[in-house]
Amino acid sequence: MEEGEIFGFIGPNGAGKSTTIRTLLSLIYPTSGNAKIFGKDVTEFGPEIKQNIGYLPSEVFYYDNMRVKDLLKYSASFYKKDCTKRIHELAEILNLDLTKKITDLSLGNKKKVGIVQGLLHEPKLIILDEPTSGLDPLMQQRFFELLEEENKKGATILFSSHILSEVQRLCDRVAIIKEGRLVTVEKISTLKENNYKRFKIEAKDKLAKEYFAIDGINKLEINENTVSFLFKGDVNEVIKRLSTIQVTNLWVDEPDLEEIFIHYYEKEA
Amino acid sequence: MNMFLYELRASRKSTIVWTISLVSVLVLFMSLFPSFSKDVDEVNKLLEGFPEPVRKALGLEIGSLGSLLGYYSYSFTYLALAGAIQAMNLGTNILSKEVREKTADFLLTKPVTRTQIVKAKLLAAVTSLLITNLVFLGAAGLTATMVKTEAYDAKVFYMISITLFFIQLIFLAFGLLASVIIPRIKSVLAVSLGTVFAFFLIGMLASTGEDEVKRLFSPFKYFEANYIIEHSTYEISFLIVAISIIVVSVVTTFIIYRKKDIHTV
């Protein structure tokens, strides 16, 4: 990862995203190898490094009997700067009530506490582990804006997720991991070029296989008069071809992550 | 410092409840002393009816219940038991709660070392116990002067009372150690009550015989009130054992916790 970038980190559940992050935060220790942040070993210089890290876990749990305000104050007390102003700014942006008790908060609101808690000390590195679960689309949008703002101010962001669109929306580069191994690191722009669309077509008549002999079609499946395939390339090609048949229904989707992975597997094999 | 204060505040309620309970039991015991000492002959006769091993296991000695110190040492067995539970709860809970309540991700990603975390929590726990003991000592001294029938040795009285703190420190250390060794503690009470009662029972068995070695297996027997009454001093050998147990447990806790993996919730 380079300084100042927003780096996506995607992989299916159990691929090792959280494990990597927890190692970086020295919550767990590597059985072999090492990791460095800011050029320093994470195990050896843990506390020093963490002074400049903000972390938002995928599931947020805080001391239930505390008020939001007190929790954030406690959180701020670990850092060597006065964060009161930033806490109030962030709470305002996210529309978070500081006087409530943590127990009384909904999942989304707890998440907001997590966001404020992770950003209040204006960290140089922000680590986000599947941060958007529980946030409504509006808040998600605001949260992304907040991250982009922090990024402009110079913060580096590590964004872990299994939702491709989130990563695409925000990140410059992305690492794809599977079963604990790094499959590839790509620029989002490259990934988009490689972007597959999933087509599903229902036609009036039975369709012949030859009909879909277009370059860039993958995984063609024909079942009576429904057809599905993955397509990479100029979408117009497909549309032109489709215009000659009687279509009763048409779906065009982004393929899910699993399919992208299949793509990367094929590449490796 | 912030962690220390936070932990102190977090255990405030339980410290208050335990302190009040201990003092209540103390007052209850002490308030019965005047009637005991008045009918001491009948009490002794009653005790003679028990077989000797039973008397010894319960810590009842014929003739001792008539004096304030003797009566107090008998009551103290049960006060120590309650105190041990408080300390063991505190010790078992203070580190394991972060994992159980899933707040470890919060605390451990802050710019602090694991050592600092254990240190702050340990200090907070010791402070809580210290507060309990100060209140207890005050209450004990006060009730003793209120119920006394004749003069008693105040120094010995306080020496016995302070052993509550020693016993609590031992069980606090046990609790800490248990919390880093047992992978996932679902119920603190199960662990602490189990351990404390096991040691208490061992202590009862140990007192039935004359064997000094047996006493080593129960911290409840390290500070025998009879010995303190007789010699106005603690048994140095057992004091050393107690200190060693505390030091070894605490140091082991630090070492294990520093290297412990904190897994996802």
Side-chain angles (χ1 to χ4, degrees):
Chain A
M1 264 182 82
E2 281 156 34
E3 211 177 314
E5 73 176 339
I6 305 185
F7 193 84
F9 196 40
I10 59 176
N13 295 332
K17 299 188 297 289
S18 296
T19 306
T20 313
I21 287 176
R22 297 177 83 77
T23 311
L24 289 174
L25 292 164
S26 58
L27 283 166
I28 54 178
Y29 295 101
T31 38
S32 67
N34 59 60
K36 281 182 180 167
I37 296 181
F38 310 136
K40 287 176 177 151
D41 186 86
V42 291
T43 314
E44 206 176 327
F45 295 97
E48 192 188 326
I49 294 169
K50 285 184 212 164
Q51 191 67 242
N52 285 309
I53 295 183
Y55 168 60
L56 173 61
S58 50
E59 285 176 80
V60 284
F61 293 99
Y62 298 116
Y63 307 100
D64 275 347
N65 53 4
M66 279 177 113
R67 287 187 190 286
V68 176
K69 210 193 297 178
D70 298 322
L71 177 96
L72 292 174
K73 263 191 208 154
Y74 182 42
S75 179
S77 68
F78 285 93
Y79 303 100
K80 293 175 195 140
K81 54 173 104 170
D82 182 28
C83 310
T84 326
K85 204 177 134 227
R86 189 67 184 146
I87 291 175
H88 286 281
E89 275 171 25
L90 288 167
E92 186 123 336
I93 295 170
L94 294 169
N95 203 0
L96 174 69
D97 185 353
L98 289 177
T99 54
K100 279 209 169 150
K101 279 207 159 195
I102 306 268
T103 346
D104 303 333
L105 294 181
S106 65
L107 180 64
N109 278 322
K110 268 189 201 162
K111 201 89 199 192
K112 289 183 196 170
V113 178
I115 296 171
V116 179
Q117 180 269 133
L119 298 179
L120 54 84
H121 54 295
E122 296 168 325
K124 283 192 204 138
L125 172 65
I126 302 169
I127 297 179
L128 308 158
D129 192 357
E130 298 182 9
T132 50
S133 60
L135 286 179
D136 64 45
L138 185 72
M139 272 306 146
Q140 212 161 312
Q141 184 61 29
R142 243 181 243 185
F143 173 50
F144 282 169
E145 282 165 15
L146 203 58
L147 289 177
E148 277 164 348
E149 219 172 279
E150 288 294 316
N151 181 243
K152 272 196 200 107
K153 280 195 269 175
T156 312
I157 299 174
L158 174 61
F159 189 104
S160 148
S161 175
H162 59 263
I163 304 162
L164 193 60
S165 57
E166 279 182 12
V167 177
Q168 274 178 348
R169 150 96 171 71
L170 206 63
C171 303
D172 310 320
R173 285 196 307 155
V174 63
I176 298 179
I177 71 164
K178 173 113 187 174
E179 283 160 11
R181 300 201 169 274
L182 193 63
V183 180
T184 182
V185 180
E186 294 237 34
K187 282 198 167 149
I188 285 288
S189 48
T190 334
L191 204 68
K192 270 185 181 156
E193 276 164 28
N194 284 340
N195 208 350
Y196 281 68
K197 295 268 182 252
R198 184 175 44 199
F199 280 83
K200 195 176 165 203
I201 301 149
E202 212 176 287
K204 243 184 180 157
D205 309 309
K206 221 171 160 183
L207 293 164
K209 198 176 177 187
E210 297 71 43
Y211 199 75
F212 292 96
I214 313 172
D215 262 1
I217 282 192
N218 257 320
K219 299 186 67 144
L220 183 65
E221 273 172 48
I222 300 180
N223 191 0
E224 292 290 309
N225 44 7
T226 62
V227 180
S228 70
F229 56 84
L230 288 175
F231 177 74
K232 177 188 156 187
D234 189 356
V235 183
N236 290 312
E237 293 285 318
V238 183
I239 293 177
K240 258 184 228 156
R241 191 63 57 97
L242 290 180
S243 67
T244 61
I245 54 171
Q246 288 282 325
V247 176
T248 54
N249 221 334
L250 169 69
W251 299 263
V252 185
D253 277 324
E254 297 277 319
D256 56 33
L257 205 56
E258 208 47 45
E259 280 163 312
I260 296 268
F261 281 125
I262 288 164
H263 160 70
Y264 277 104
Y265 267 144
E266 280 167 356
K267 231 166 128 187
E268 278 195 342
Chain B
M1 194 62 182
N2 54 351
M3 278 188 284
F4 169 75
L5 289 177
Y6 172 78
E7 290 301 335
L8 206 56
R9 210 172 310 136
S11 61
R12 181 181 48 188
K13 216 181 257 171
S14 98
T15 307
I16 293 173
V17 171
W18 274 105
T19 309
I20 292 174
S21 316
L22 271 174
V23 170
S24 311
V25 176
L26 169 85
V27 169
L28 182 73
F29 269 118
M30 295 300 256
S31 63
L32 294 176
F33 174 68
S35 38
F36 255 91
S37 64
K38 208 164 43 185
D39 304 321
V40 69
D41 291 335
E42 276 166 53
V43 172
N44 284 341
K45 238 178 255 163
L46 186 75
L47 287 181
E48 274 163 32
F50 287 108
E52 203 196 342
V54 174
R55 283 201 309 258
K56 277 198 164 162
L58 294 174
L60 290 165
E61 245 167 277
I62 296 174
S64 73
L65 286 182
S67 78
L68 181 74
L69 285 179
Y71 178 80
Y72 182 60
S73 4
Y74 166 68
S75 328
F76 194 77
T77 321
Y78 299 97
L79 292 165
L81 174 65
I85 295 171
Q86 176 198 9
M88 182 96 187
N89 269 345
L90 198 58
T92 316
N93 190 36
I94 205 154
L95 285 172
S96 68
K97 71 176 175 191
E98 302 288 347
V99 173
R100 201 171 36 258
E101 286 160 25
K102 303 171 183 176
T103 49
D105 278 16
F106 171 83
L107 188 60
L108 297 182
T109 54
K110 294 282 174 277
V112 284
T113 60
R114 301 271 180 99
T115 311
Q116 283 170 317
I117 293 173
V118 183
K119 214 190 284 170
K121 283 172 178 274
L122 177 65
L123 273 181
V126 172
T127 309
S128 297
L129 293 183
L130 208 55
I131 293 168
T132 302
N133 275 277
L134 286 177
V135 176
F136 178 81
L137 275 183
L142 202 67
T143 44
T145 45
M146 279 161 72
V147 300
K148 69 174 177 194
T149 42
E150 54 200 44
Y152 65 95
D153 190 335
K155 184 190 159 206
V156 168
F157 179 82
Y158 282 114
M159 279 183 79
I160 295 172
S161 305
I162 289 169
T163 62
L164 175 68
F165 190 50
F166 298 158
I167 290 172
Q168 285 194 315
L169 286 183
I170 298 174
F171 279 97
L172 177 71
F174 280 161
L176 283 170
L177 191 61
S179 74
V180 290
I181 288 178
I182 304 172
R184 177 153 292 199
I185 296 176
K186 286 222 179 72
S187 158
V188 169
L189 265 184
V191 175
S192 62
L193 282 184
T195 316
V196 172
F197 276 110
F199 279 121
F200 192 73
L201 287 177
I202 293 171
M204 282 175 120
L205 291 178
S207 34
T208 52
E210 297 295 317
D211 195 351
E212 289 288 292
V213 182
K214 272 196 212 151
R215 282 176 56 201
L216 277 175
F217 294 107
S218 177
F220 288 106
K221 294 287 146 197
Y222 289 0
F223 310 100
E224 288 278 44
N226 291 337
Y227 185 93
I228 302 172
I229 294 172
E230 223 170 287
H231 300 87
S232 299
T233 171
Y234 299 119
E235 284 171 277
I236 298 299
S237 50
F238 280 98
L239 201 59
I240 292 169
V241 172
I243 292 169
S244 319
I245 288 178
I246 294 169
V247 170
V248 169
S249 306
V250 169
V251 169
T252 316
T253 303
F254 271 99
I255 293 171
I256 296 178
Y257 197 69
R258 276 174 60 97
K259 288 283 148 221
K260 204 173 159 77
D261 282 348
I262 309 294
H263 291 289
T264 343
V265 283

